[in-house]
Structures are given as C-alpha cells and as structure tokens.
Amino acid sequence: MVTEPEIRETAAPDGRPRAAVVRDALGVGVAVGLSGFAFGVTAAGAGISTLQACVLSLLVFTGASQFALVGALAAGGNPFTAAAGAFFLGTRNAFYGLRLSELLRLPRAVRPLAAHWVIDETTAVALAQPDRKSARLGFTVTGLTLYMLWNVTTLLGALGAEAIGDTRAWGLDAAGPAVFLALLAPMLKTATERAVAALALVLGLGFLPVLPAGVPVLIAALAAPAVLWMKGRRS
C-alpha cells in the first residue's frame, strides 16, 4: 500500500526535481512493463491467440485481471466466470480513479485517455509525489512507459510461446502465477493486508479441487471483507 503524502496545489520550492520524478517513473514502468512477456506466454498456453492476447493488453491493461482471466481459461473455466473474476479484480482501479481525479485535476479532454492508465503502478507513483505538478509528471511517464512496454512484450511473449510449442513442456505455464505473486508481495506491508492475502490463498486453494475453474477466485475475494469484519469486532 502507498502512504499518501500531503498534496499541495503547486510545486513547493523544495519539491522533487523533474529528473528524479522521471527516473522513478521510468524505473517502475520498465520493471513492470517487462512482465508483459509472461502474460503473452501464459495467454498462448491458455489457447488464446496472439491477436486476442494483444487486444487484451491494449484494451484491458491491468495485469492482475489479465492474468486471472487467462489463468481461469487455462484451467478450463467458463469464460463468463473467468471474466467475472477478472472484473472484480479490476474494480479497485475505480477507487484509484476517484483519488487521482482530485489529485491530478486533468483537463476534461484528456480524462478518458488518462482513465485507461489508472492502475496500481501509476497510482503509486502519482501519490508518492509532493505536489500536483510532480504527480502529473509521474503518472504520465509511468503510464506511457508501462503501456508501451506491456503491449510490446505481450506480443513478443505470445509469438515466442507459439514458436516453442507446448509451454507446459517448458514449465512456462507457471510464469503467469509467478509474476502475479512477485507483483503482489511488495504491497503486503501491514498485518491486515497479509491476513487478507493468507485467507484468500486458503480459500482459493481450498475450493480449487471441488469448484469449477474461476469460481475459487471469486470466493477468495471474500477474504477482504471477512478480515475487515473480524478486525472491526476486535476493536
């Protein structure tokens, strides 16, 4: 989770230099954008064509939801159930958008385009800045870098997977879950967040053998309200 600093209307004299903001934004964009390769490989292993994988990255552009969708399809899940799981994972971006709209205050003409870039990484970089000008710069550089790299590496991953044949024979079917966990782990900084993750893992794995593919993901989503309810009772 990102700790939100106090946001000032304009850049303060001691605000961060533009070079520092761009450096951090590029670092996040490049590091996460390269994981699009794993998505391309995973999508190909799930029987999704290269064109379909690329369209998903172009139009959906939220890694957790994309990995959840192709993972459920790879396990033989119903497409509607898989899509529902991906949708619920993506709803968090709507809450990010509420905060970022207040912080960035972008012109109306560019808001629909900017909304497509409202994801974990762009939100984290924007909220970490000390002023609105730096937040806009960080959001833009992170979004642009990540969007371009994610789509390019999705294409390369899908093409590479098609070239090598059966991805399971190479163990590449585990690439998607591995990258998803690698992205998730650094976000679990509080005891509550770790408890939610642990309960979600137990629910997901516990129901995996007895329910259709994709449904355990939906049940695992109940971990968050369950943990918050138990925390509220204790307090």
Side-chain angles (χ1 to χ4, degrees), residues 8-210:
R8 295 182 287 275
E9 285 293 327
T10 57
D14 59 347
R16 299 189 67 204
R18 288 173 57 88
V21 177
V22 172
R23 180 196 62 214
D24 292 348
L26 284 175
V28 172
V30 171
V32 180
L34 291 176
S35 61
F37 183 84
F39 172 71
V41 171
T42 305
I48 294 176
S49 70
T50 298
L51 177 60
Q52 290 171 328
C54 290
V55 169
L56 276 173
S57 285
L58 284 168
L59 301 183
V60 178
F61 186 53
T62 174
S65 295
Q66 291 179 233
F67 277 120
L69 175 64
V70 299
L73 292 177
N78 182 288
F80 294 103
T81 304
F87 171 79
F88 282 116
L89 278 174
T91 54
R92 71 192 187 284
N93 294 339
F95 296 98
Y96 295 160
L98 292 175
R99 181 63 188 96
L100 288 180
S101 64
E102 177 186 350
L103 168 61
L104 302 177
R105 295 188 183 178
L106 296 171
R108 289 184 180 274
V110 301
R111 287 179 187 176
L113 297 176
H116 194 48
W117 288 356
V118 176
I119 54 176
D120 296 328
E121 293 76 18
T122 54
T123 302
V125 173
L127 291 179
Q129 306 310 318
D131 57 81
R132 177 165 290 119
K133 186 176 180 180
S134 297
R136 285 180 173 181
L137 179 61
F139 175 86
T140 302
V141 175
T142 306
L144 179 62
T145 305
L146 184 49
Y147 188 73
M148 292 177 61
L149 269 179
W150 182 264
N151 282 281
V152 170
T153 54
T154 293
L155 174 62
L156 294 177
L159 291 176
E162 287 185 355
I164 64 176
D166 185 8
T167 56
R168 294 179 183 272
W170 294 82
L172 296 179
D173 53 313
V179 171
F180 182 82
L181 291 176
L183 294 175
L184 176 65
M187 301 180 186
L188 306 177
K189 296 182 178 180
T190 69
T192 300
E193 291 164 0
R194 290 190 288 269
V196 170
L199 181 57
L201 180 64
V202 170
L203 290 175
L205 293 179
F207 285 100
L208 187 61
V210 296

